[in-house]
Amino acid sequence: MQTTRQWQTDAIGPEANLTIGEARIPEVSGAMIRVRTQAVSLNFRDRLVLESGMGLPLQFPFVPASDMAGMVEAVGPDVTRFKPGDLVISTFSPDWIDGRGPGTARDLPYQTRGGFYPGVLSEYTVLSEEWFTLAPKTLDAAEASTLPCAGLTAWFALIECGKLKAGDKVLVQGTGGVALFGLQIAKAQGAEVFVTSGSSEKLDRAQALGADHLINRHEGDWVEQLHRLTGDYGVDHVLEIVGGPHLGQALKAVAVNGRISVIGVFEGFEVSAPAAPLLLKAPVVQGIAVGHRRALEDLVRAVDQTGLKPVIDRRYAFAELPQALDHLYRGPFGKVVIEY
């Protein structure tokens, strides 16, 4: 009987004890494919799930992380979308193929990898072909593994929902994975991009990626800096990655009839903001829950067409997962990736 090594834990909490265990590799049948994992991209959400469970019905031993790239090694007789040798990437929400998201007004749709479903930090997985899509031809496995959550979140906010066009002004908060994807996607569409950060060194690196305007949060009120740079116009689209009461700052920054994509929860899960700018500016305030598989396929094509290269701060070995998770707390410039 074949087995696979995987990172797993039997309990959730700040001191969750992650260990390398083994699990049986299921037989490949029907529309299933066996994928050998080559890279896993970590998200800050992965730490939140390990530390709090995020209210999810986790199955133990729990395997964390949602984003991977790997090589198809075997396919079932009913598989039509892949063949052995294909490089594929996971989908964050396997049940969301296109259109309206799953779930109801009562039951929130959060059936994702690395949470409701087991995660991807395993050497092999055998799952339905519907849970994967082809990786870009222009990226290696580590780069491709950053697309399913961080890349798709930025794409879904700006392109799928935001209908971004050339000349639009876009505000990107910080220099993490979603932020840098937002910067690169916006520039590829001909937008004017403003980046905020508390690090001059990271702002310089963002400028090298194409950022038009750099705003250091430690050099005065960043919203006032933004207003001066835009002649009080504001920005057409805010990627709101901070969360909590910071939504109020996003409302100050957004242009009249602009758009705010609420993505992050670094400052809390309860967002708050004053009513006046919300009512008088009348922006679209949109929550972004990553995105569906069809949009991920659109992003893959765009990556190959534009030459976009995901930014990886550091690549770790499989055995170095604890160090890689700690890196997330240090504020990486771009993504942190585990390679096999």
Side-chain angles (χ1 to χ4, degrees):
M1 181 180 298
Q2 290 185 317
T3 60
T4 177
R5 291 195 310 157
Q6 62 186 26
W7 277 100
Q8 60 188 43
T9 182
D10 291 318
I12 295 301
E15 304 300 326
N17 184 30
L18 281 163
T19 59
I20 297 177
E22 287 193 349
R24 183 181 65 85
I25 302 175
E27 295 294 325
V28 178
S29 61
M32 311 290 275
I33 63 175
R34 185 174 73 238
V35 179
R36 176 171 55 85
T37 305
Q38 294 184 328
V40 170
S41 174
L42 299 179
N43 300 295
F44 195 79
R45 167 189 177 269
D46 299 326
R47 284 218 63 142
L48 294 178
V49 172
L50 286 170
E51 291 172 0
S52 70
M54 294 182 68
L56 296 167
L58 305 183
Q59 303 173 40
F60 295 99
F62 174 67
V63 179
S66 60
D67 300 2
M68 57 79 72
M71 191 69 66
V72 177
E73 288 197 342
V75 302
D78 300 329
V79 169
T80 60
R81 300 176 60 237
F82 305 110
K83 64 184 185 303
D86 284 342
L87 181 64
V88 296
I89 54 178
S90 56
T91 53
F92 183 74
S93 301
D95 305 314
W96 191 12
I97 304 301
D98 199 353
R100 181 188 291 270
T104 68
R106 182 187 299 274
D107 299 312
L108 299 180
Y110 203 50
Q111 297 182 358
T112 65
R113 303 293 302 272
F116 182 89
Y117 295 118
V120 298
L121 272 165
S122 178
E123 291 177 319
Y124 288 91
T125 57
V126 177
L127 292 166
S128 167
E129 65 172 339
E130 300 298 330
W131 287 38
F132 299 91
T133 190
L134 284 171
K137 297 180 176 63
T138 53
L139 302 183
D140 65 23
E143 293 166 335
S145 74
T146 67
L147 298 183
C149 186
L152 181 56
T153 296
W155 176 268
F156 209 76
L158 293 172
I159 307 301
E160 182 74 21
C161 297
K163 311 301 180 188
L164 189 69
K165 62 184 184 301
D168 281 354
K169 292 176 170 55
V170 176
L171 172 65
V172 173
Q173 299 171 351
T175 54
V178 175
L180 294 187
F181 270 114
L183 162 58
Q184 292 176 285
I185 290 168
K187 289 303 297 180
Q189 296 294 314
E192 183 179 2
V193 180
F194 301 74
V195 177
T196 65
S197 174
S199 166
S200 296
E201 184 265 339
K202 288 181 177 179
L203 285 171
D204 289 341
R205 295 172 70 182
Q207 187 174 39
L209 289 172
D212 299 287
H213 305 282
L214 312 175
I215 300 174
N216 193 318
R217 292 184 285 102
H218 296 322
E219 296 178 358
D221 186 325
W222 70 262
V223 175
E224 287 300 318
Q225 295 182 63
L226 177 71
H227 287 172
R228 288 195 297 269
L229 286 169
T230 63
D232 288 344
Y233 176 85
V235 291
D236 300 294
H237 203 139
V238 180
L239 291 186
E240 169 47 49
I241 298 173
V242 180
H246 197 266
L247 177 61
Q249 295 293 89
L251 281 170
K252 292 179 183 178
V254 74
V256 173
N257 299 141
R259 177 180 288 266
I260 300 171
S261 290
V262 180
I263 294 167
V265 293
F266 289 111
E267 290 191 2
F269 286 88
E270 296 289 334
V271 297
S272 60
L278 178 63
L279 298 174
L280 298 176
K281 287 186 175 182
V284 172
V285 180
Q286 168 110 36
I288 300 295
V290 188
H292 46 58
R293 193 185 77 195
R294 195 266 300 154
L296 180 60
E297 292 166 344
D298 291 345
L299 172 59
V300 166
R301 284 190 292 270
V303 166
D304 281 336
Q305 290 168 1
T306 64
L308 185 152
K309 286 288 183 181
V311 179
I312 297 176
D313 196 358
R314 182 168 172 184
R315 304 178 187 218
Y316 288 86
F318 179 74
E320 297 177 312
L321 175 64
Q323 297 94 309
L325 288 169
D326 287 342
H327 193 157
L328 294 178
Y329 270 142
R330 300 199 300 272
F333 185 83
K335 298 296 294 178
V336 175
V337 175
I338 304 289
E339 289 188 307
Y340 289 67

